[in-house]
Amino acid sequence: MRYQCTPLSRRQIRAFAHQIRQTLHLESQLYFPVENFLEVLHELVGDPDFYFEVIPDEDWELSPDVHAFYNVDEHCIFIRESVYEGAANGCGRDRMTIVHECAHVILLQSSGISLTRSFSDNIPAYRDPEWQAKCLAAEIMIPFDLTDGMTAREISLRCGVSKEAASYQLKKRIA
């Protein structure tokens, strides 16, 4: 069983990411400040109960493959300590992981919780909450208008993302 959500196109998500960057006065900044974003996310989404918690790796009770997750009931993003430290030290994968979880918070707050259960594995990407969060995180971290004409390597270095994420975004460029 999987969940579907309100449909969003990449173009809509890109506009939403730009709006988020404008709200944070980051519309002309390439490198997105992930730790600061976590600190102000509760204000951005209007949820005073939202918080994040960094869990020491030795106390992480989930699979080591799970780096962070958003618990809707607790209004909390739980982050493995090594992932948080990696993000603070500029690791692109860890930075994107955290922004991906923040994207879940933002998308749920903006569209409300209107998930639909599906017993089909054929959910279109634009209705898949995981795809939407991945897309929003990438659009926030790799701003379309600021990276035009850059190579994947340049994007990786200047935006602080993995080369894989930069390459993927380049393949998905639409006007």
Side-chain angles (χ1 to χ4, degrees):
M1 177 182 64
R2 296 189 51 204
Y3 289 94
Q4 295 185 49
C5 56
T6 305
L8 288 172
S9 69
R10 178 172 292 275
R11 188 168 277 125
Q12 289 171 304
I13 291 171
R14 179 171 293 148
F16 193 31
H18 185 74
Q19 179 184 358
I20 290 166
R21 283 178 148 267
Q22 280 184 317
T23 300
L24 298 171
H25 306 289
L26 298 170
E27 63 269 26
S28 62
Q29 183 175 323
L30 273 170
Y31 194 85
F32 192 77
V34 173
E35 298 90 348
N36 294 349
F37 187 49
L38 269 172
E39 296 289 342
V40 301
L41 188 59
H42 69 283
E43 295 171 17
L44 183 68
V45 298
D47 183 358
D49 295 328
F50 170 80
Y51 67 105
F52 70 93
E53 187 173 331
V54 178
I55 309 291
D57 285 8
E58 60 271 10
D59 295 336
W60 191 255
E61 295 179 0
L62 299 173
S63 163
D65 294 340
V66 176
H67 297 175
F69 71 96
Y70 175 52
N71 183 309
V72 177
D73 294 331
E74 293 187 40
H75 302 257
C76 182
I77 294 175
F78 294 95
I79 307 165
R80 282 182 43 199
E81 184 175 39
S82 57
V83 172
Y84 184 82
E85 289 175 359
N89 291 322
C91 174
R93 180 179 182 201
D94 293 338
R95 287 170 38 78
M96 187 68 80
T97 295
I98 292 172
V99 176
H100 173 93
E101 295 308 323
C102 293
H104 279 302
V105 176
I106 293 166
L107 289 165
L108 284 170
Q109 287 295 106
S110 68
S111 63
I113 299 175
S114 59
L115 300 174
T116 305
R117 288 187 336 167
S118 174
F119 293 96
S120 168
D121 286 334
N122 299 325
I123 296 172
Y126 61 88
R127 293 189 61 97
D128 181 348
E130 282 303 317
W131 177 84
Q132 288 184 3
K134 179 180 179 178
C135 184
L136 181 57
E139 293 293 339
I140 288 171
M141 298 283 291
I142 305 168
F144 178 80
D145 56 328
L146 300 180
T147 56
D148 191 36
M150 288 186 181
T151 65
R153 184 174 187 280
E154 289 172 310
I155 291 170
S156 175
L157 292 171
R158 298 196 56 205
C159 295
V161 298
S162 68
K163 190 168 179 193
E164 293 77 18
S167 296
Y168 183 82
Q169 274 303 92
L170 283 176
K171 290 177 191 171
K172 298 300 177 182
R173 289 189 82 80
I174 53 175

